[in-house]
Amino acid sequence: MISINKKLALTALVTVMLSACGGSSSDSEEMVVVVPAPDPMFTYTYQVIVTNLTYAQPMSPVALVLHNEGQLWSVGEMASVALENLAESGDNSAVLAESIVLSGQGGAGLILPGMSEMVDVSYTVSDENNAPTMLSLATMLVNTNDAFTGINALAINNLAVGESISLTTSSYDSGTEKNSELMTTIPGPAGGGTGEGFNAERNDIDKVAMHSGVVSADDGLMVSALTQAHRFDNPTLAVMVTRTE
């Protein structure tokens, strides 16, 4: 396939050749080389504002993805290794690299309680029929063993430019690590920043479920690194999705 630049160069070359061959003669016919216009491209951009509604649960850097099939999790089913990694350690890289992802964007850092972050994600296609139809988001409650929250396969195909969707999220247990609340297993500040993150061994029920919340030392679990401040109720996030392009 000839690139646009090469086609333009070819047009110029033909013009020069015609001039050299007496193209200015009244009897000569001018050859016109038509350079086809490039295929139109369509960009879909979504601005997502995430607000942490908890009292003392920082959220790990979010994983924000556009996709046309699948979902990041399903209650009652096993968590993917990518989701396990995020739910246990806060690492979003594997979720962003999932096979269903058309385009992904990670957050800039932790979202502290009461704080918000704005993240944009875009996808460009040459055929509008291939536009992204779903948006998902996931983040870990870092003062837990394997709790996460987010939005899963939100339909965005009918969202016009300038329109928004606002919603709140519940919290889930990835089911891949026991909720021991031990300092050595909490990767967030409550664990002193030294707690273990991802561990490939799965020692819990190995099914995603709605999270029942933490117990904490204040409520009788004396080995817990958590206090009542780390308890959380649903909803845990407020999310607003706006299509900007």
Side-chain angles (χ1 to χ4, degrees):
M1 182 179 291
I2 302 176
S3 69
I4 297 298
N5 288 339
K6 288 184 178 179
K7 288 179 178 177
L8 291 174
L10 180 60
T11 302
L13 178 61
V14 170
T15 302
V16 170
M17 292 176 63
L18 287 173
S19 299
C21 295
S24 60
S25 170
S26 60
D27 296 329
S28 65
E29 295 183 1
E30 183 177 356
M31 180 181 295
V32 177
V33 177
V34 179
V35 178
D39 293 334
M41 302 299 287
F42 305 93
T43 298
Y44 297 82
T45 301
Y46 299 87
Q47 178 190 89
V48 180
I49 299 175
V50 184
T51 302
N52 183 344
L53 300 178
T54 71
Y55 181 77
Q57 284 287 346
M59 301 294 166
S60 67
V62 301
L64 177 64
V65 302
L66 299 176
H67 53 116
N68 278 337
E69 59 184 18
Q71 50 190 351
L72 294 187
W73 70 87
S74 180
V75 172
E77 301 293 332
M78 292 175 55
S80 66
V81 174
L83 182 64
E84 177 189 9
N85 208 320
L86 181 143
E88 291 181 8
S89 71
D91 182 357
N92 63 19
S93 58
V95 170
L96 293 172
E98 285 275 61
S99 60
I100 64 171
V101 176
L102 298 174
S103 180
Q105 183 64 48
L110 293 177
I111 305 177
L112 300 178
M115 303 299 289
S116 299
E117 182 181 14
M118 183 173 67
V119 184
D120 291 336
V121 63
S122 296
Y123 186 60
T124 300
V125 294
S126 58
D127 184 349
E128 290 181 291
N129 292 322
N130 295 326
T133 59
M134 291 180 281
L135 180 148
S136 293
L137 178 150
T139 178
M140 177 192 185
L141 286 70
V142 300
N143 285 325
T144 66
N145 286 94
D146 59 344
F148 70 96
T149 185
I151 53 180
N152 194 23
L154 174 70
I156 55 172
N157 50 305
N158 291 324
L159 201 62
V161 174
E163 288 186 338
S164 300
I165 300 174
S166 294
L167 65 160
T168 56
T169 72
S170 297
S171 294
Y172 302 86
D173 189 328
S174 72
T176 57
E177 180 178 297
K178 288 182 178 179
N179 297 328
S180 65
E181 300 182 21
L182 294 172
M183 181 175 288
T184 55
T185 64
I186 301 291
T194 60
E196 180 184 59
F198 173 70
N199 187 326
E201 178 186 359
R202 298 191 175 193
N203 61 3
D204 202 358
I205 62 172
D206 206 10
K207 292 181 180 179
V208 175
M210 303 303 298
H211 206 291
S212 58
V214 300
V215 179
S216 86
D218 292 336
D219 294 299
L221 185 59
M222 301 310 298
V223 297
S224 175
L226 308 179
T227 69
Q228 278 195 336
H230 299 112
R231 294 175 67 99
F232 54 89
D233 296 317
N234 292 322
T236 42
L237 296 181
V239 181
M240 183 168 70
V241 179
T242 303
R243 182 179 168 191
T244 58
E245 184 177 7

